[in-house]
């Protein structure tokens, strides 16, 4: 089954480079314009659409003209006490402790939050239960990165060699045996 993952459009917190986590932030004016201009690739037209329960994903799907169902499995990574903070500010405040936490890659766990590895372990069983030709999943950067790591063995200790662009789709495939595979990153969403 093919899975086309889309990150929600921009929010004020994205624009301020704040960690949103599970805060239910609506799209900004910029984000509403972005999502309104996005279109699914022709080959994904008609696929069922699922979103996270957070309004930024639901608004993105709606502005794209998509009918979607919300599922909790696709919710963003829980950033715990770091939610609302900027990574740059955390690096300044925590210094070597932050560097040590970031060096854990997939196992970085913010205080009171969840790790990227946990996100992948949360989402993958849900994906394995899906049936059909394909699904569009409107979700979050943390979820997409966790699934990229799951599909490729990336340990998140260094940057991925290709930047995940915010206004693009990312195509994965999940086999009948439940193996997740990356097909293509950064697919154009413009009509």
């Amino acid at each position: 089954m093919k899975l086309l993952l889309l990150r929600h459009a921009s929010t004020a917190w994205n624009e301020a480079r704040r960690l949103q986590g599970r805060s239910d932030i609506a799209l900004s004016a910029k984000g509403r314009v972005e999502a309104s201009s996005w279109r699914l690739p022709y080959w994904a037209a008609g696929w069922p659409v699922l979103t996270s329960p957070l309004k930024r994903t639901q608004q993105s799907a709606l502005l794209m003209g998509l009918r979607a169902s919300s599922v909790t499995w696709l919710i963003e990574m829980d950033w715990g006490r770091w939610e609302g903070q900027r990574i740059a500010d955390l690096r300044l405040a925590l210094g070597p402790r932050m560097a040590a936490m970031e060096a854990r890659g997939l196992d970085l766990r913010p205080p009171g939050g969840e790790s990227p590895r946990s996100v992948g372990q949360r989402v993958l069983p849900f994906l394995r239960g899906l049936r059909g030709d394909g699904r569009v999943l409107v979700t979050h950067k943390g979820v997409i990165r966790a699934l990229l790591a799951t599909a490729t063995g990336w340990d998140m200790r260094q940057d991925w060699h290709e930047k995940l662009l915010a206004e693009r789709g990312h195509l994965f495939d999940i086999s009948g045996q439940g193996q997740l595979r990356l097909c293509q990153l950064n697919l154009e969403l413009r009509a």
Side-chain angles (χ1 to χ4, degrees):
M1 170 191 292
K2 298 289 185 196
L3 302 168
L4 180 61
L5 278 67
L6 314 178
R7 181 186 182 195
H8 61 80
S10 188
T11 70
W13 277 25
N14 289 133
E15 293 157 21
R17 304 189 62 82
R18 294 189 181 282
L19 297 169
Q20 289 177 108
R22 300 204 175 160
S23 292
D24 203 6
I25 311 295
L27 295 180
S28 66
K30 175 185 173 190
R32 289 190 299 276
V33 169
E34 287 169 355
S36 295
S37 72
W38 296 348
R39 297 293 174 265
L40 293 179
Y42 72 91
W43 42 262
W47 284 1
V49 180
L50 301 172
T51 71
S52 146
L54 300 178
K55 63 182 138 193
R56 57 191 182 264
T57 62
Q58 296 169 358
Q59 290 170 336
S60 295
L62 185 63
L63 288 165
M64 291 178 70
L66 303 174
R67 286 187 186 197
S69 299
S70 169
V71 294
T72 57
W73 300 101
L74 297 177
I75 199 166
E76 178 60 299
M77 180 173 146
D78 185 348
W79 283 95
R81 292 194 299 272
W82 289 359
E83 202 159 296
Q85 303 296 312
R86 294 181 179 98
I87 292 287
D89 295 339
L90 289 167
R91 287 177 178 147
L92 283 173
L94 300 175
R97 286 186 321 191
M98 183 67 175
M101 284 189 266
E102 287 183 290
R104 298 188 72 207
L106 264 173
D107 295 309
L108 174 133
R109 185 178 300 275
E114 70 181 325
S115 70
R117 185 182 307 275
S118 299
V119 173
Q121 291 170 342
R122 166 173 48 90
V123 177
L124 194 57
F126 166 73
L127 298 179
R128 287 178 173 148
L130 295 174
R131 298 290 176 257
D133 293 329
R135 288 286 190 290
V136 175
L137 309 175
V138 185
T139 187
H140 307 272
K141 183 178 181 179
V143 172
I144 295 169
R145 286 171 45 92
L147 292 175
L148 177 61
T150 300
T152 64
W154 174 43
D155 65 8
M156 291 190 175
R157 292 177 195 267
Q158 67 287 329
D159 290 337
W160 182 251
H161 64 272
E162 183 178 359
K163 184 170 176 55
L164 291 174
L165 301 176
E167 297 182 27
R168 301 291 172 100
H170 311 288
L171 186 63
F172 291 79
D173 179 79
I174 191 158
S175 73
Q177 293 75 39
Q179 294 298 318
L180 187 64
R181 181 178 66 88
L182 172 64
C183 298
Q184 186 175 352
L185 296 178
N186 300 321
L187 293 163
E188 186 68 47
L189 294 177
R190 302 269 180 222

